[in-house]
Amino acid sequence: MEHRAVDFDEFAIRAALGGLPLGGLRVLSTIGSTNDEALAWAAEGGADLSVVIADEQTAGRGRLGRTWRTPRGTAIAVSVILRGPSDPLPHYSRLAGLGAMAVADACRSMGLQASIKWPNDILVEGRKLAGVLVESAWTGAALEAAVIGIGINVLEASGPPPESVRYPATSMETSLGRPPIRAEVLRELLSALITWRTKLDSDEFIAAWEKRLAWRGRQVALLRDGQPPVRGKLSGLAPDGSLKILHEGRLLEVSMGELQLLATDDGSH
Ligand code: BTN
């Protein structure tokens, strides 16, 4: 895959990530999408915990076919290859939570209180700070590896123009009142991801993801393509990371969709 070689603080990034047990590291000045680069690398045999970081994305992708902006010098765009010891990759359905928890922990270490809008949007002060996109690399019918792509708005200039967003956005700089150093955020992020990855199969993992969920106990609607919305009380997570919604006395488990807080929710639990 074509890409221009590094010019963005590669030295600082490599120094900050030194000591982490990464499978490999590519630091790029600009790329279409770090997820595409990581998927191509995985297909060529890229090792577990190989990481692609770019200063700028020109064709960044979000969930549900949306675009994701990563203007040069303002944000974190990173993708991590995960490869299981066996095929299929265990606990695939928990990987969205893994990325989201890593961001939430990185936020906390920078002094920001974050929550996770299920499945994998990270909110700070009720606004979206980061998103996670999990994709798979296949060889024929076999799942080769998964890629967790994470985009974080670090500086104010990284956010999308307000008129183009579906959900209000924020950045670390906006909430902290100062610009954090991207290399430091990356270190916290990847170190949290590596730690939680070792607990991916544990009950502790689901409990921690659940604890960080936004809108627990609140009235929400889950929107799904081509299906009627599910409305009810956000109750928690099932072991596979599905969302539990209490709807007319029945606990429903849903694995896909987009959450909204219902306007009728009065905030009391
Ligand atoms: C979303 O909220 O819709 C998910 C956004 C994920 C964006 C990240 S940035 C790094 C990686 N490369 C991409 O093209 N997308 C993900």
Side-chain angles (χ1 to χ4, degrees):
M1 188 168 289
E2 280 277 320
H3 53 74
R4 199 148 63 75
V6 282
D7 72 1
F8 106 101
D9 291 334
E10 180 172 10
F11 185 77
I13 288 171
R14 288 193 180 273
L17 302 185
L20 294 181
L22 303 184
L25 177 59
R26 293 182 182 172
V27 183
L28 309 172
S29 167
T30 185
I31 189 77
S33 155
T34 55
N35 262 29
D36 286 344
E37 177 78 6
L39 286 167
W41 193 4
E44 292 158 8
D48 186 45
L49 290 179
S50 292
V51 172
V52 179
I53 298 165
D55 187 25
E56 173 192 51
Q57 292 188 119
T58 55
R61 287 183 281 109
R63 285 175 69 226
L64 310 171
R66 295 175 189 145
T67 55
W68 182 267
R69 276 178 88 239
T70 309
R72 177 181 300 278
T74 65
I76 284 176
V78 58
S79 299
V80 183
I81 297 174
L82 294 184
R83 204 178 267 290
S86 61
D87 176 41
L89 200 61
H91 303 293
Y92 189 88
S93 63
R94 294 185 175 193
L95 296 183
L98 176 60
M101 295 237 286
V103 181
D105 280 11
C107 284
R108 191 166 50 193
S109 67
M110 307 303 295
L112 292 172
Q113 183 86 29
S115 62
I116 299 171
K117 174 174 166 279
W118 184 90
N120 47 11
D121 285 346
I122 293 80
L123 306 183
V124 169
E125 293 164 352
R127 293 172 166 260
K128 180 163 170 174
L129 179 101
V132 178
L133 178 66
V134 178
E135 295 183 303
S136 321
W138 298 87
T139 306
L143 178 61
E144 184 73 34
V147 165
I148 302 187
I150 300 173
I152 306 179
N153 300 332
V154 179
L155 302 188
E156 256 168 41
S158 59
E163 65 279 8
S164 75
V165 295
R166 300 169 57 89
Y167 197 82
T170 190
S171 71
M172 289 185 148
E173 181 183 24
T174 312
S175 289
L176 283 172
R178 62 174 172 82
I181 296 164
R182 282 185 293 171
E184 280 174 19
V185 180
L186 269 167
R187 181 179 175 86
E188 297 297 339
L189 174 75
L190 292 174
S191 123
L193 188 142
I194 289 166
T195 302
W196 280 115
R197 199 272 179 93
T198 65
K199 302 177 181 175
L200 196 58
D201 61 352
S202 67
D203 294 344
E204 181 194 351
F205 180 90
I206 290 289
W209 184 5
E210 194 172 64
K211 194 170 145 210
R212 290 163 175 74
L213 279 186
W215 307 338
R216 268 184 83 189
R218 311 273 305 262
Q219 292 295 320
V220 295
L222 186 89
L223 311 181
R224 298 173 299 172
D225 258 0
Q227 293 182 62
V230 179
R231 293 194 175 81
K233 185 165 104 172
L234 195 159
S235 297
L237 291 176
D240 68 352
S242 295
L243 190 69
K244 294 194 287 193
I245 296 182
L246 186 64
H247 171 78
E248 294 177 355
R250 282 195 312 137
L251 211 46
L252 307 177
E253 291 184 11
V254 284
S255 60
M256 276 162 86
E258 179 147 14
L259 262 189
Q260 280 183 352
L261 189 63
L262 280 179
T264 51
D265 182 274
D266 63 2
S268 59
H269 293 204

